[in-house]
Protein backbone atom coordinates (compact mmCIF):
# COMPACT_ATOMS: atom_id res chain seq x y z
CA UNK A 1 0.00 0.00 0.00
CA UNK A 2 1.38 3.39 -0.99
CA UNK A 3 1.57 6.24 1.53
CA UNK A 4 2.33 9.90 0.75
CA UNK A 5 4.85 11.64 3.01
CA UNK A 6 3.64 15.25 3.22
CA UNK A 7 5.48 18.47 3.97
CA UNK A 8 4.75 18.86 7.71
CA UNK A 9 3.63 22.02 9.48
CA UNK A 10 6.01 22.51 12.39
CA UNK A 11 4.31 25.68 13.65
CA UNK A 12 1.09 27.65 13.29
CA UNK A 13 2.75 30.24 11.07
CA UNK A 14 4.67 27.83 8.80
CA UNK A 15 3.39 27.89 5.21
CA UNK A 16 6.27 26.40 3.20
CA UNK A 17 9.22 24.12 3.88
CA UNK A 18 12.49 23.39 2.08
CA UNK A 19 14.26 20.04 1.84
CA UNK A 20 17.73 20.65 3.25
CA UNK A 21 18.92 17.03 3.13
CA UNK A 22 17.47 13.59 2.53
CA UNK A 23 18.78 11.10 5.08
CA UNK A 24 17.15 8.15 3.26
CA UNK A 25 17.17 7.28 -0.39
CA UNK A 26 14.77 5.43 -2.66
CA UNK A 27 14.67 1.74 -1.77
CA UNK A 28 15.67 2.30 1.88
CA UNK A 29 13.57 0.63 4.57
CA UNK A 30 12.37 3.06 7.29
CA UNK A 31 11.21 2.27 10.80
CA UNK A 32 8.51 4.36 12.48
CA UNK A 33 10.17 7.32 14.22
CA UNK A 34 13.33 7.26 12.07
CA UNK A 35 14.50 10.61 10.70
CA UNK A 36 14.17 10.63 6.94
CA UNK A 37 14.95 14.26 6.06
CA UNK A 38 15.95 17.69 7.36
CA UNK A 39 13.46 20.49 6.64
CA UNK A 40 14.13 24.23 6.76
CA UNK A 41 11.21 26.47 7.71
CA UNK A 42 10.82 29.78 9.48
CA UNK A 43 14.49 30.38 10.20
CA UNK A 44 15.16 26.91 11.64
CA UNK A 45 16.14 23.44 10.44
CA UNK A 46 14.07 20.56 11.81
CA UNK A 47 14.16 16.80 11.51
CA UNK A 48 11.30 15.00 9.78
CA UNK A 49 10.50 11.66 11.40
CA UNK A 50 8.56 8.92 9.67
CA UNK A 51 5.10 8.21 11.09
CA UNK A 52 4.94 4.86 9.27
CA UNK A 53 7.01 1.79 8.68
CA UNK A 54 7.88 0.92 5.12
CA UNK A 55 10.15 1.41 2.15
CA UNK A 56 10.90 4.73 0.43
CA UNK A 57 9.47 4.06 -3.01
CA UNK A 58 9.96 7.46 -4.59
CA UNK A 59 11.43 10.84 -3.59
CA UNK A 60 9.44 13.66 -5.18
CA UNK A 61 11.53 16.67 -4.14
CA UNK A 62 15.25 17.22 -4.57
CA UNK A 63 17.42 18.81 -1.89
CA UNK A 64 17.06 22.60 -2.03
CA UNK A 65 13.49 22.51 -3.35
CA UNK A 66 10.60 23.85 -1.29
CA UNK A 67 6.83 23.35 -1.31
CA UNK A 68 3.74 24.40 0.59
CA UNK A 69 2.76 22.62 3.80
CA UNK A 70 0.65 19.52 3.07
CA UNK A 71 2.14 18.80 -0.36
CA UNK A 72 3.62 15.31 -0.94
CA UNK A 73 7.41 15.09 -0.83
CA UNK A 74 7.89 11.29 -1.03
CA UNK A 75 6.00 8.03 -1.53
CA UNK A 76 6.41 5.08 0.83
CA UNK A 77 5.31 1.51 0.39
CA UNK A 78 3.96 0.50 3.79
CA UNK A 79 4.73 -2.82 5.39
CA UNK A 80 7.47 -4.89 6.97
CA UNK A 81 10.84 -5.35 5.38
CA UNK A 82 10.62 -8.10 2.83
CA UNK A 83 13.66 -10.25 2.21
CA UNK A 84 13.90 -11.21 -1.39
CA UNK A 85 13.82 -15.01 -1.80
CA UNK A 86 16.76 -16.54 -3.53
CA UNK A 87 15.97 -17.51 -7.02
CA UNK A 88 15.81 -21.22 -7.42
CA UNK A 89 17.65 -22.71 -10.27
CA UNK A 90 15.26 -23.73 -12.94
CA UNK A 91 15.69 -27.19 -14.39
CA UNK A 92 17.31 -27.01 -17.74
CA UNK A 93 15.14 -28.08 -20.57
CA UNK A 94 16.54 -30.44 -23.01
CA UNK A 95 17.71 -28.50 -25.97
CA UNK A 96 16.11 -29.43 -29.19
CA UNK A 97 18.33 -29.72 -32.17
CA UNK A 98 18.28 -26.48 -34.05
CA UNK A 99 16.87 -26.50 -37.47
CA UNK A 100 18.67 -24.16 -39.70
CA UNK A 101 16.37 -21.70 -41.34
CA UNK A 102 17.23 -20.30 -44.61
CA UNK A 103 17.19 -16.54 -44.41
CA UNK A 104 16.59 -14.41 -47.45
CA UNK A 105 19.66 -12.54 -48.64
CA UNK A 106 19.97 -9.03 -47.02
CA UNK A 107 18.96 -6.09 -49.19
CA UNK A 108 21.81 -4.12 -50.68
CA UNK A 109 23.00 -1.45 -48.17
CA UNK A 110 22.62 2.18 -48.99
CA UNK A 111 25.77 4.17 -48.88
CA UNK A 112 25.85 5.91 -45.42
CA UNK A 113 27.69 9.10 -44.69
CA UNK A 114 30.04 8.37 -41.82
CA UNK A 115 30.92 11.16 -39.41
CA UNK A 116 34.43 10.96 -38.11
CA UNK A 117 34.28 11.67 -34.39
CA UNK A 118 37.40 12.65 -32.43
CA UNK A 119 39.10 9.89 -30.41
CA UNK A 120 38.71 9.75 -26.64
CA UNK A 121 36.62 7.95 -24.04
CA UNK A 122 33.31 9.85 -24.12
CA UNK A 123 29.60 9.54 -24.82
CA UNK A 124 28.64 9.72 -28.51
CA UNK A 125 26.95 13.11 -28.01
CA UNK A 126 29.98 14.48 -26.14
CA UNK A 127 32.24 13.40 -29.00
CA UNK A 128 29.86 15.08 -31.48
CA UNK A 129 29.95 18.33 -29.43
CA UNK A 130 33.74 18.13 -29.20
CA UNK A 131 33.93 17.86 -32.99
CA UNK A 132 31.57 20.85 -33.49
CA UNK A 133 33.57 23.03 -31.09
CA UNK A 134 36.99 21.88 -32.31
CA UNK A 135 37.96 20.33 -28.98
CA UNK A 136 40.77 17.74 -28.88
CA UNK A 137 39.06 15.29 -26.55
CA UNK A 138 41.86 12.77 -26.20
CA UNK A 139 44.59 15.31 -25.52
CA UNK A 140 42.53 17.16 -22.91
CA UNK A 141 41.72 13.90 -21.15
CA UNK A 142 45.42 13.04 -21.06
CA UNK A 143 46.15 16.46 -19.54
CA UNK A 144 43.41 15.91 -16.95
CA UNK A 145 41.40 18.93 -18.11
CA UNK A 146 38.44 16.74 -19.05
CA UNK A 147 37.18 13.69 -17.10
CA UNK A 148 37.20 10.22 -18.56
CA UNK A 149 34.58 9.31 -19.62
CA UNK A 150 33.51 12.76 -20.80
CA UNK A 151 29.85 13.73 -20.99
CA UNK A 152 28.07 16.53 -22.83
CA UNK A 153 27.89 18.75 -19.71
CA UNK A 154 31.69 18.48 -19.31
CA UNK A 155 32.14 19.77 -22.86
CA UNK A 156 29.73 22.66 -22.19
CA UNK A 157 31.55 23.60 -18.97
CA UNK A 158 34.91 23.41 -20.72
CA UNK A 159 33.54 25.65 -23.44
CA UNK A 160 32.60 28.28 -20.86
CA UNK A 161 35.99 28.11 -19.14
CA UNK A 162 37.69 28.51 -22.50
CA UNK A 163 36.11 31.93 -23.09
CA UNK A 164 35.50 33.19 -19.55
CA UNK A 165 37.72 33.79 -16.52
CA UNK A 166 36.48 32.14 -13.27
CA UNK A 167 35.24 35.49 -11.89
CA UNK A 168 33.47 36.27 -15.16
CA UNK A 169 31.75 32.88 -14.95
CA UNK A 170 30.40 33.79 -11.51
CA UNK A 171 29.04 37.06 -12.92
CA UNK A 172 27.53 35.17 -15.85
CA UNK A 173 25.38 33.20 -13.39
CA UNK A 174 24.61 36.18 -11.12
CA UNK A 175 23.30 38.29 -13.99
CA UNK A 176 21.77 35.31 -15.85
CA UNK A 177 23.48 36.33 -19.07
CA UNK A 178 23.21 34.43 -22.33
CA UNK A 179 26.42 32.62 -23.22
CA UNK A 180 25.62 32.68 -26.93
CA UNK A 181 24.93 36.43 -26.95
CA UNK A 182 28.18 37.21 -25.18
CA UNK A 183 30.22 35.05 -27.55
CA UNK A 184 28.64 36.95 -30.44
CA UNK A 185 29.33 40.29 -28.75
CA UNK A 186 32.98 39.42 -28.00
CA UNK A 187 34.05 36.88 -30.66
CA UNK A 188 37.39 35.11 -30.15
CA UNK A 189 38.03 36.98 -26.92
CA UNK A 190 38.70 35.87 -23.37
CA UNK A 191 35.98 37.58 -21.34
CA UNK A 192 37.10 38.75 -17.92
CA UNK A 193 35.37 40.43 -14.98
CA UNK A 194 36.02 44.02 -16.11
CA UNK A 195 34.76 43.42 -19.63
CA UNK A 196 31.62 41.74 -18.34
CA UNK A 197 30.87 44.45 -15.75
CA UNK A 198 31.26 47.14 -18.41
CA UNK A 199 28.84 45.20 -20.65
CA UNK A 200 26.32 44.87 -17.79
CA UNK A 201 26.52 48.59 -16.97
CA UNK A 202 26.19 49.62 -20.61
CA UNK A 203 23.12 47.41 -21.12
CA UNK A 204 21.61 48.29 -17.72
CA UNK A 205 21.23 44.63 -16.71
CA UNK A 206 20.07 44.07 -13.09
CA UNK A 207 21.81 41.55 -10.84
CA UNK A 208 19.65 38.67 -9.65
CA UNK A 209 19.80 38.13 -5.87
CA UNK A 210 17.78 35.10 -4.72
CA UNK A 211 15.61 35.50 -1.62
CA UNK A 212 16.54 32.98 1.07
CA UNK A 213 13.89 30.82 2.70
CA UNK A 214 14.52 32.75 5.94
CA UNK A 215 13.80 36.03 4.18
CA UNK A 216 10.73 34.56 2.44
CA UNK A 217 9.35 33.52 5.80
CA UNK A 218 10.07 36.98 7.23
CA UNK A 219 8.33 38.72 4.32
CA UNK A 220 5.31 36.43 4.58
CA UNK A 221 4.93 36.98 8.34
CA UNK A 222 5.47 40.77 8.12
CA UNK A 223 2.73 40.98 5.48
CA UNK A 224 0.35 39.15 7.81
CA UNK A 225 1.42 41.24 10.82
CA UNK A 226 0.72 44.47 9.00
CA UNK A 227 -2.99 43.75 8.70
CA UNK A 228 -3.30 43.16 12.47
CA UNK A 229 -5.13 46.14 14.05
CA UNK A 230 -2.46 47.92 16.06
CA UNK A 231 -1.53 51.22 17.63
CA UNK A 232 1.59 52.89 19.01
CA UNK A 233 2.57 54.50 22.28
CA UNK A 234 5.61 56.79 22.13
CA UNK A 235 7.38 57.52 25.39
CA UNK A 236 10.74 58.74 26.74
CA UNK A 237 12.32 56.63 29.48
CA UNK A 238 14.97 57.66 32.01
CA UNK A 239 17.43 54.75 32.02
CA UNK A 240 20.20 56.55 33.88
CA UNK A 241 19.99 54.15 36.87
CA UNK A 242 20.70 51.06 34.79
CA UNK A 243 24.41 50.17 35.21
CA UNK A 244 24.96 48.32 31.91
CA UNK A 245 28.39 47.35 30.58
CA UNK A 246 29.92 45.08 27.89
CA UNK A 247 29.09 41.88 29.78
CA UNK A 248 25.51 42.77 30.67
CA UNK A 249 24.29 45.25 28.10
CA UNK A 250 21.32 47.59 28.13
CA UNK A 251 19.41 45.07 25.99
CA UNK A 252 19.96 42.32 28.60
CA UNK A 253 18.69 44.66 31.32
CA UNK A 254 15.61 45.59 29.29
CA UNK A 255 14.79 41.93 28.59
CA UNK A 256 14.84 41.25 32.33
CA UNK A 257 12.89 44.36 33.37
CA UNK A 258 10.26 43.94 30.65
CA UNK A 259 9.95 40.20 31.43
CA UNK A 260 9.36 40.98 35.13
CA UNK A 261 6.78 43.66 34.21
CA UNK A 262 4.89 41.18 31.99
CA UNK A 263 4.11 39.15 35.11
CA UNK A 264 1.75 41.95 36.21
CA UNK A 265 -0.09 42.08 32.85
CA UNK A 266 -1.27 38.68 31.65
CA UNK A 267 -2.42 40.07 28.28
CA UNK A 268 1.27 40.76 27.53
CA UNK A 269 1.76 37.00 27.90
CA UNK A 270 -1.14 36.11 25.62
CA UNK A 271 -1.63 35.10 22.00
CA UNK A 272 -4.87 35.56 20.12
CA UNK A 273 -6.82 32.71 18.52
CA UNK A 274 -10.14 32.80 16.68
CA UNK A 275 -12.37 32.84 19.75
CA UNK A 276 -10.02 32.80 22.74
CA UNK A 277 -6.66 33.87 24.18
CA UNK A 278 -3.84 31.57 25.23
CA UNK A 279 -2.07 33.02 28.26
CA UNK A 280 1.41 31.76 29.12
CA UNK A 281 2.36 31.52 32.81
CA UNK A 282 5.90 32.83 32.23
CA UNK A 283 7.35 35.79 30.35
CA UNK A 284 8.85 34.73 27.02
CA UNK A 285 10.64 37.64 25.36
CA UNK A 286 11.78 37.63 21.74
CA UNK A 287 14.82 39.58 20.60
CA UNK A 288 15.35 40.94 17.07
CA UNK A 289 18.83 39.87 15.91
CA UNK A 290 20.35 40.75 12.54
CA UNK A 291 22.93 38.34 11.11
CA UNK A 292 24.23 39.56 7.77
CA UNK A 293 21.20 40.21 5.57
CA UNK A 294 18.91 37.99 7.64
CA UNK A 295 16.75 38.91 10.62
CA UNK A 296 16.07 36.40 13.40
CA UNK A 297 13.75 36.47 16.38
CA UNK A 298 14.98 33.94 18.97
CA UNK A 299 13.17 33.75 22.29
CA UNK A 300 14.47 33.96 25.86
CA UNK A 301 11.99 31.88 27.79
CA UNK A 302 10.91 32.25 31.43
CA UNK A 303 12.69 35.58 31.77
CA UNK A 304 10.94 36.17 35.09
CA UNK A 305 12.77 33.14 36.54
CA UNK A 306 16.25 34.02 35.28
CA UNK A 307 19.04 36.30 36.47
CA UNK A 308 20.63 39.01 34.36
CA UNK A 309 23.77 36.90 33.88
CA UNK A 310 21.73 33.88 32.74
CA UNK A 311 19.83 36.06 30.25
CA UNK A 312 23.08 37.57 28.90
CA UNK A 313 24.59 34.11 28.45
CA UNK A 314 21.46 32.79 26.72
CA UNK A 315 21.35 35.76 24.34
CA UNK A 316 24.98 35.14 23.38
CA UNK A 317 24.28 31.44 22.72
CA UNK A 318 21.19 32.21 20.62
CA UNK A 319 23.12 34.74 18.56
CA UNK A 320 25.88 32.18 17.97
CA UNK A 321 23.32 29.59 16.86
CA UNK A 322 21.73 32.16 14.52
CA UNK A 323 25.15 32.95 12.99
CA UNK A 324 25.79 29.25 12.45
CA UNK A 325 22.27 28.60 11.09
CA UNK A 326 21.52 26.20 13.95
CA UNK A 327 18.42 27.80 15.51
CA UNK A 328 15.82 25.15 16.27
CA UNK A 329 12.06 25.57 16.19
CA UNK A 330 12.09 25.61 19.98
CA UNK A 331 14.54 28.55 19.92
CA UNK A 332 12.18 30.77 17.91
CA UNK A 333 8.69 30.06 19.20
CA UNK A 334 6.71 30.94 22.29
CA UNK A 335 7.33 34.71 22.55
CA UNK A 336 4.46 37.14 23.05
CA UNK A 337 6.60 40.29 23.10
CA UNK A 338 9.79 41.25 21.23
CA UNK A 339 12.46 43.87 21.89
CA UNK A 340 14.21 45.54 18.96
CA UNK A 341 17.13 47.79 19.91
CA UNK A 342 18.70 50.06 17.27
CA UNK A 343 20.11 52.49 19.81
CA UNK A 344 23.67 51.21 19.32
CA UNK A 345 23.53 52.52 15.72
CA UNK A 346 22.70 56.05 16.86
CA UNK A 347 19.01 55.74 15.93
CA UNK A 348 17.09 58.09 18.20
CA UNK A 349 13.55 56.77 17.71
CA UNK A 350 11.68 54.37 15.45
CA UNK A 351 8.71 52.01 15.46
CA UNK A 352 8.55 48.36 14.48
CA UNK A 353 6.10 45.80 13.10
CA UNK A 354 4.79 43.22 15.59
CA UNK A 355 6.15 39.74 14.77
CA UNK A 356 3.26 37.62 13.54
CA UNK A 357 1.51 35.81 16.41
CA UNK A 358 2.83 38.15 19.13
CA UNK A 359 1.05 41.04 20.86
CA UNK A 360 3.73 43.70 21.34
CA UNK A 361 7.09 44.91 20.10
CA UNK A 362 9.22 47.55 21.84
CA UNK A 363 11.50 49.63 19.62
CA UNK A 364 14.40 51.02 21.68
CA UNK A 365 16.30 54.07 20.49
CA UNK A 366 19.67 55.58 21.40
CA UNK A 367 20.37 56.48 25.02
CA UNK A 368 21.11 60.20 25.28
CA UNK A 369 23.84 61.63 27.50
CA UNK A 370 21.37 62.24 30.33
CA UNK A 371 20.13 58.63 30.16
CA UNK A 372 16.89 59.51 28.35
CA UNK A 373 15.79 56.98 25.71
CA UNK A 374 12.92 57.01 23.23
CA UNK A 375 10.84 53.84 23.18
CA UNK A 376 7.96 53.01 20.86
CA UNK A 377 5.43 50.36 21.84
CA UNK A 378 3.33 48.68 19.13
CA UNK A 379 0.37 46.74 20.53
CA UNK A 380 -2.07 44.27 18.97
CA UNK A 381 -5.37 46.04 19.65
CA UNK A 382 -7.29 42.74 19.61
CA UNK A 383 -5.45 41.71 22.80
CA UNK A 384 -4.33 44.90 24.55
CA UNK A 385 -6.52 47.98 24.54
CA UNK A 386 -5.19 51.50 25.02
CA UNK A 387 -5.93 51.52 28.74
CA UNK A 388 -3.94 48.36 29.47
CA UNK A 389 -1.17 49.42 27.08
CA UNK A 390 -0.80 52.74 28.92
CA UNK A 391 -0.73 50.98 32.32
CA UNK A 392 2.02 48.64 31.12
CA UNK A 393 4.17 51.54 29.84
CA UNK A 394 3.61 53.48 33.08
CA UNK A 395 4.60 50.40 35.12
CA UNK A 396 7.80 50.03 33.10
CA UNK A 397 8.72 53.70 33.56
CA UNK A 398 8.40 53.30 37.31
CA UNK A 399 10.38 50.05 37.33
CA UNK A 400 13.48 51.50 35.64
CA UNK A 401 13.52 54.27 38.25
CA UNK A 402 13.05 51.94 41.21
CA UNK A 403 16.49 52.03 42.87
CA UNK A 404 15.82 49.08 45.15
CA UNK A 405 14.60 46.93 42.25
CA UNK A 406 17.61 47.81 40.06
CA UNK A 407 19.94 47.19 43.01
CA UNK A 408 18.32 43.81 43.66
CA UNK A 409 18.72 42.80 40.00
CA UNK A 410 22.38 43.82 39.99
CA UNK A 411 23.03 41.96 43.23
CA UNK A 412 21.48 38.79 41.83
CA UNK A 413 23.17 39.17 38.46
Amino acid sequence: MDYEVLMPQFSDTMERGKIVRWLKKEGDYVEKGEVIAEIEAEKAVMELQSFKRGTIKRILLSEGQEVEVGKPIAIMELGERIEKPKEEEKPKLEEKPKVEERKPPPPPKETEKKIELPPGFASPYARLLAKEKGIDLKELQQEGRLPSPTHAKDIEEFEKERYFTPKALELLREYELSLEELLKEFPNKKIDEDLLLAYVEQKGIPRRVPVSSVQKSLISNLSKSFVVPHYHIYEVFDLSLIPWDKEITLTHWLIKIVGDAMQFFERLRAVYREDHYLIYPNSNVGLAIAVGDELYNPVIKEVNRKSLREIAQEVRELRKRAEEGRLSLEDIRGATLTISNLGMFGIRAFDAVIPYGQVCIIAVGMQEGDGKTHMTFTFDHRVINGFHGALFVKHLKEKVLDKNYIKMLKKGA
Side-chain angles (χ1 to χ4, degrees):
M1 177 183 169
D2 285 353
Y3 166 76
E4 285 186 335
V5 181
L6 306 178
M7 175 57 74
Q9 185 172 33
F10 289 111
S11 70
D12 292 341
T13 56
M14 176 178 168
E15 294 183 344
R16 298 176 68 83
K18 183 170 85 174
I19 306 293
V20 175
R21 191 159 61 111
W22 282 107
L23 302 176
K24 297 290 180 183
K25 60 182 186 300
E26 291 180 359
D28 280 358
Y29 180 75
V30 177
E31 284 288 352
K32 188 177 175 183
E34 256 191 289
V35 179
I36 59 175
E38 290 175 345
I39 307 287
E40 182 182 304
E42 299 200 310
K43 312 173 186 180
V45 175
M46 288 148 285
E47 293 180 337
L48 171 61
Q49 295 181 346
S50 176
F51 294 107
K52 303 283 183 181
R53 181 185 292 120
T55 302
I56 301 284
K57 193 174 175 183
R58 198 170 153 211
I59 288 176
L60 304 176
L61 242 64
S62 305
E63 292 178 355
Q65 282 189 294
E66 64 174 54
V67 289
E68 294 170 4
V69 166
K71 294 284 184 186
I73 59 175
I75 305 288
M76 280 178 68
E77 185 173 353
L78 300 183
E80 301 290 339
R81 188 199 304 268
I82 300 170
E83 300 291 343
K84 287 185 178 177
K86 290 181 180 177
E87 290 186 6
E88 293 180 3
E89 288 189 4
K90 293 179 182 176
K92 287 182 180 177
L93 298 174
E94 285 186 8
E95 292 183 356
K96 292 181 181 178
K98 287 182 180 176
V99 180
E100 284 191 10
E101 292 181 0
R102 283 191 176 183
K103 295 180 181 176
K109 284 185 179 177
E110 291 181 8
T111 310
E112 292 178 353
K113 287 184 181 178
K114 267 196 167 182
I115 299 174
E116 291 292 335
L117 295 178
F121 186 31
S123 69
Y125 185 52
R127 292 175 70 194
L128 187 63
L129 280 178
K131 180 179 173 58
E132 286 175 3
K133 297 177 184 301
I135 292 172
D136 190 330
L137 199 59
K138 189 175 179 182
E139 186 179 331
L140 291 172
Q141 283 181 334
Q142 286 172 346
E143 292 173 0
R145 296 169 66 189
L146 278 176
S148 182
T150 299
H151 297 284
K153 66 178 177 55
D154 301 318
I155 297 290
E156 287 162 358
E157 284 301 313
F158 178 79
E159 180 76 350
K160 287 180 188 173
E161 290 168 9
R162 189 155 66 160
Y163 292 107
F164 294 86
T165 63
K167 187 63 186 172
L169 272 178
E170 287 179 25
L171 293 172
L172 190 76
R173 286 186 282 271
E174 281 182 24
Y175 286 90
E176 294 187 317
L177 300 172
S178 162
L179 180 73
E180 287 72 25
E181 282 182 22
L182 284 168
L183 292 179
K184 280 183 191 171
E185 184 83 15
F186 307 107
N188 303 320
K189 209 169 187 177
K190 186 85 172 181
I191 300 172
D192 62 12
E193 180 184 3
D194 293 338
L195 191 64
L196 205 54
L197 285 175
Y199 172 81
V200 162
E201 190 177 345
Q202 185 193 358
K203 301 279 184 184
I205 299 170
R207 185 162 63 97
R208 182 180 184 275
V209 180
V211 176
S212 69
S213 57
V214 171
Q215 195 66 17
K216 280 182 193 170
S217 172
L218 179 71
I219 292 169
S220 172
N221 285 339
L222 283 176
S223 304
K224 285 187 278 188
S225 293
F226 204 72
V227 298
V228 169
H230 61 274
Y231 64 95
H232 302 296
I233 290 181
Y234 305 89
E235 193 50 88
V236 177
F237 279 64
D238 183 351
L239 303 180
S240 58
L241 290 183
I242 296 178
W244 59 272
D245 55 31
K246 283 186 179 177
E247 286 298 311
I248 301 178
T249 67
L250 180 61
T251 301
H252 303 147
W253 274 92
L254 289 176
I255 291 170
K256 176 60 181 169
I257 296 170
V258 168
D260 283 352
M262 288 164 69
Q263 285 299 299
F264 294 89
F265 299 87
E266 65 175 23
R267 287 292 178 91
L268 267 297
R269 292 181 271 115
V271 290
Y272 173 71
R273 292 291 182 262
E274 288 298 320
D275 58 354
H276 60 276
Y277 300 114
L278 292 175
I279 298 174
Y280 290 87
N282 291 301
S283 303
N284 302 328
V285 179
L287 180 64
I289 292 178
V291 177
D293 293 332
E294 313 288 4
L295 183 63
Y296 297 88
N297 189 199
V299 182
I300 299 91
K301 294 192 174 66
E302 301 183 358
V303 168
N304 50 303
R305 294 174 177 272
K306 291 176 180 168
S307 68
L308 275 168
R309 200 167 299 283
E310 287 172 327
I311 290 168
Q313 180 62 28
E314 195 168 329
V315 169
R316 281 192 281 270
E317 287 173 4
L318 288 169
R319 171 173 279 282
K320 189 179 175 192
R321 286 209 280 275
E323 289 170 347
E324 295 171 351
R326 294 190 297 108
L327 283 176
S328 68
L329 182 64
E330 196 53 38
D331 290 332
I332 60 172
R333 72 179 174 188
T336 57
L337 177 151
T338 281
I339 294 176
S340 176
N341 186 358
L342 295 182
M344 67 282 282
F345 301 110
I347 303 298
R348 194 175 183 193
F350 68 105
D351 61 24
V353 180
I354 305 171
Y356 183 65
Q358 299 184 29
V359 297
C360 176
I361 185 166
I362 305 175
V364 183
M366 176 184 67
Q367 190 173 17
E368 308 280 358
D370 57 358
K372 300 285 174 59
T373 301
H374 290 262
M375 289 196 201
T376 306
F377 296 76
T378 307
F379 292 107
D380 181 344
H381 210 319
R382 300 171 304 176
V383 185
I384 303 164
N385 60 34
F387 174 68
H388 287 114
L391 286 180
F392 176 65
V393 174
K394 180 174 177 289
H395 181 81
L396 264 182
K397 287 189 74 175
E398 291 168 355
K399 242 175 159 39
V400 296
L401 290 174
D402 185 338
K403 289 181 182 175
N404 290 330
Y405 171 66
I406 297 296
K407 192 175 174 183
M408 181 194 73
L409 289 186
K410 189 181 176 188
K411 193 176 176 183

